[in-house]
């Protein structure tokens, strides 16, 4: 699925903006497919650039009929409905898309392919419904196989969930590719999977099988002769809800090195906000100690998410954290990914014996 | 369910022995319900005592008809079929049990209540089918609520899976109750759930919800005014497959103290056996370090599983590990649970302010 180039129309009805449409924004920024239109009737007539500040001339349209003039072959659902149910208006849009013979890719909790009307219509029209949050049926348990990769395995870890682990991994993959390395990305959340075209929806996988799923994906990329594999992290190791998913990534990917992701203004674990975040030196020590029995990975650099700070504040926090941890520190979206890559590239060369 | 006393008939057809029928043996040893018969036609006519070396005069019978003379109200499936499918002979036994108006409790991967024939017959006969491996539908994410318990929370951790964490927790619960404390048990695997009558099948719970499930059960027991809560551990923290389940238990239960379980003859992680076990001092340090941000629990004592050693070898290993770790060490099944309890009781008193 990842090798085929598609023409994608993104459904973001009523909420196409940088805060509410995380999946849509991620796909526009990083997908190898061509985004040919965005559906949001409340912004119809504008371009993606006008709304997001990036994304070029891609048009925003009112519905499937308008979108079809841009010849998509896929409808990608780029927002989540509040309450988890599919709103009636969206049902009509999905229905129109299938009628127009578009495949539909969905990151919703609600599975399109379990809906008898959608499934029957898709069958008649010969299109595919891809529910990326559905774990594959043939899960296996982990066995530490990722200890054997030829590629350097880089795992993004964090001080909390939702601090920029996917973005950091994709920025590093982009940079590594530009520099001539074969760079893979292991997607572990719905946005990453929709961008990459494969992956595992780790938060929906039963606990026993999380490391095995990550291991399978890492070994797939290693078999494709990647030089470096960037693994999308999730959660944080002592996060009261998501720590186990984080450990599933660590034990499944058996990283050679960590990139630590952090939002300087974050004070407490999301979503509960009842428990303050541990100090960063403890966070670094816990990640490193826990994997000391395997490849003894170290944190090589720190990626900050400073979207809610002024440029001056962001620069100050970069300097402070760099001094505190003694590690290269930068916000890759604000100030570029070169500094992070400089911390990783020597490790890739060493692992490959170059 | 836990407060009602049942008369249980255990199905262990063809495999009632101490090695093959782990669930049956656990229920006979620890269940508060009365086991009135065991079904295994290959041992019919013997008593449980004659086969296991404990369990008294409970008769082993050839089938449901014979079992009914002992007036059970529950059939408990105490063995797992090879291959995961329900053998035809067992189907007939389950069918006979429902016809005889017995509830059926099952720890199988195969869900009886998803079988249309069993479900329809159970409905007609007015009996309950309880599939203990099915997670409840209303899962919630963890929020560190177990930091607030009145009770002392004791989590059994291990150097590997299948080293005696459930048995150790149940032995300690028994001892605490004998000494006049209100002692709870959080069951997290199918045998524990069948013994306790409630719990969560943690290995079947999606990763995001594991801590929340454990937290719910700990807080339930705390609300019932327990003095001490023993949490059944699973896996091992750097186990390449089961580490995430272990961390789910740690973050969900927020233990005050650990009991470390270990089998001295175990050299490699099960089931793969490709990765040697870490040395015990590292195991202790990793458990303690990882939770240092919360209640900073320490390992208070070590429970060994020496079933495959001679008495002399077992005594020698107890002494060696006690000296190595500087912690009270004993095989509670072979040499009694008093030594473990002596390490825990002062902590219960301190927590309760006695």
């Amino acid at each position: 699925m990842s090798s085929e180039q598609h023409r994608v129309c993104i459904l973001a009805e009523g909420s196409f903006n940088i805060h509410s449409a995380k999946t849509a924004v991620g796909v526009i920024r990083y997908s190898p497919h061509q985004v040919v239109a965005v559906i949001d009737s409340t912004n119809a007539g504008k371009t993606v650039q006008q709304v997001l500040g990036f994304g070029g001339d891609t048009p925003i349209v009112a519905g499937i009929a308008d979108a079809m003039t841009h010849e998509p072959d896929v409808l990608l659902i780029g927002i989540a409905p509040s309450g988890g149910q599919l709103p009636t208006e969206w049902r009509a849009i999905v229905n129109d898309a299938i009628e127009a013979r578009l495949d539909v890719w969905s990151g919703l909790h609600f599975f399109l392919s379990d809906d008898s009307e959608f499934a029957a219509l898709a069958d008649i029209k010969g299109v595919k419904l891809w529910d990326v949050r559905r774990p594959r049926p043939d899960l296996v348990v982990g066995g530490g196989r990722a200890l054997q990769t030829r590629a350097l395995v880089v795992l993004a870890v964090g001080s909390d969930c939702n601090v920029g682990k996917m973005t950091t991994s994709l920025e590093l993959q982009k940079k590594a590719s530009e520099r001539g390395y074969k760079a893979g990305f292991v997607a572990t959340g719905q946005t990453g999977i929709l961008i990459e075209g494969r992956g595992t929806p780790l938060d929906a996988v039963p606990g026993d099988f999380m490391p095995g799923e990550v291991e399978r994906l890492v070994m797939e990329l290693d078999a494709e002769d990647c030089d470096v594999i960037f693994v999308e992290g999730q959660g944080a190791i002592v996060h009261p809800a998501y720590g186990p998913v984080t450990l599933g990534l660590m034990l499944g990917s058996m990283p050679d090195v960590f990139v630590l992701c952090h939002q300087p203004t974050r004070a407490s674990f999301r979503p509960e906000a009842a428990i303050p975040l541990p100090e960063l030196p403890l966070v670094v020590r816990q990640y490193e100690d826990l994997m000391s029995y395997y490849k003894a990975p170290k944190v090589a650099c720190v990626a900050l998410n400073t979207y809610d700070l002024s440029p001056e504040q962001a620069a100050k926090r970069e300097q402070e954290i760099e001094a505190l941890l003694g590690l290269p520190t930068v916000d890759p979206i604000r100030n570029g990914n070169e500094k992070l890559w400089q911390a990783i590239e020597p490790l890739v060369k060493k692992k490959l014996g170059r």
Side-chain angles (χ1 to χ4, degrees), chain A:
Chain A
M1 192 168 294
S2 60
S3 58
E4 214 179 323
Q5 172 94 22
H6 289 282
R7 294 176 60 82
V8 174
C9 167
I10 297 177
L11 173 60
E13 179 60 27
S15 59
F16 187 61
N17 64 68
I18 204 150
H19 298 295
S20 307
K22 182 182 163 186
T23 297
V25 170
V27 168
I28 288 167
R29 194 173 247 153
Y30 297 111
S31 174
H33 304 300
Q34 193 178 349
V35 177
V36 298
V38 171
I39 296 177
D40 176 6
S41 61
T42 64
N43 277 302
K46 297 179 187 166
T47 67
V48 169
Q49 183 83 32
Q50 286 169 333
V51 174
L52 298 185
F54 60 88
D57 291 340
T58 306
I60 305 175
V61 300
I64 288 290
D66 291 346
M68 290 309 293
T69 64
H70 304 282
E71 302 183 349
D73 61 355
V74 168
L75 177 75
L76 183 155
I77 301 181
I79 38 172
S82 62
Q85 294 306 303
L86 199 66
T88 312
E89 318 84 84
W90 298 17
R91 274 200 80 86
I93 296 171
V94 171
N95 200 76
D96 289 353
I98 301 173
E99 285 281 1
R101 297 184 186 277
L102 304 189
D103 289 348
V104 185
W105 298 353
S106 166
L108 301 178
H109 278 279
F110 170 91
F111 290 153
L112 300 179
S113 52
D114 284 348
D115 182 290
S116 55
E117 284 180 39
F118 290 149
L121 187 60
D123 201 41
I124 291 167
K125 297 291 175 180
V127 306
K128 275 190 284 195
L129 305 178
W130 183 31
D131 291 300
V132 305
R133 292 186 71 102
R134 191 200 297 274
R136 51 198 272 140
D138 53 336
L139 300 170
V140 294
V141 299
R145 278 170 283 272
L147 287 167
Q148 312 300 332
T149 59
R150 169 186 167 275
L152 187 86
V153 178
V154 184
L155 174 62
V157 292
S159 57
D160 195 6
C161 52
N162 199 15
V163 291
K165 291 184 273 296
M166 181 192 78
T167 298
T168 299
S169 295
L170 289 166
E171 286 290 327
L172 280 168
Q173 183 199 25
K174 190 169 71 177
K175 178 66 79 174
S177 301
E178 287 167 14
R179 296 298 161 86
Y181 294 92
K182 181 152 185 181
F185 171 67
V186 171
T188 63
Q190 73 262 28
T191 302
I193 300 169
L194 286 165
I195 291 168
E196 182 61 16
R198 60 178 163 176
T200 184
L202 207 57
D203 60 1
V205 171
D208 263 13
F209 298 106
M210 292 194 298
E213 271 293 272
V214 175
E215 187 174 289
R216 174 179 68 78
L217 292 162
V218 167
M219 297 316 286
E220 247 177 55
L221 289 173
D222 198 57
E224 293 167 14
D225 282 327
C226 280
D227 301 316
V228 54
I229 297 169
F230 296 99
V231 181
E232 179 189 2
Q234 301 285 348
I237 189 66
V238 298
H239 189 292
Y242 306 130
V245 179
T246 306
L247 186 56
L249 281 153
M250 293 162 72
L251 293 168
S253 70
M254 293 290 180
D256 293 284
V257 61
F258 294 119
V259 175
L260 179 67
C261 303
H262 176 62
Q263 183 182 339
T265 55
R266 188 79 57 89
S268 304
F269 284 122
R270 285 192 182 170
E272 293 263 338
I275 297 174
L277 295 195
E279 297 292 325
L280 287 180
L282 176 62
V283 173
V284 170
R285 188 169 66 73
Q286 289 192 321
Y287 281 117
E288 292 182 348
D289 276 2
L290 199 50
M291 294 305 279
S292 63
Y293 187 61
Y294 294 111
K295 295 178 182 172
K298 300 291 178 191
V299 174
C301 52
V302 182
L304 297 186
N305 176 348
T306 65
Y307 83 94
D308 54 353
L309 293 177
S310 70
E312 297 72 27
Q313 287 172 319
K316 184 158 177 287
R317 297 301 284 135
E318 285 179 351
Q319 288 166 20
E320 285 170 356
I321 291 169
E322 183 153 319
L324 174 69
L325 299 177
L327 293 169
T329 301
V330 72
D331 180 333
I333 295 298
R334 188 191 286 267
N335 294 321
N337 52 27
E338 182 65 26
K339 194 173 194 174
L340 301 179
W341 174 242
Q342 289 300 325
I344 301 296
E345 187 177 23
L347 305 174
V348 182
K349 287 184 172 170
K350 189 175 170 196
K351 178 101 187 220
L352 300 178
R354 287 183 192 165

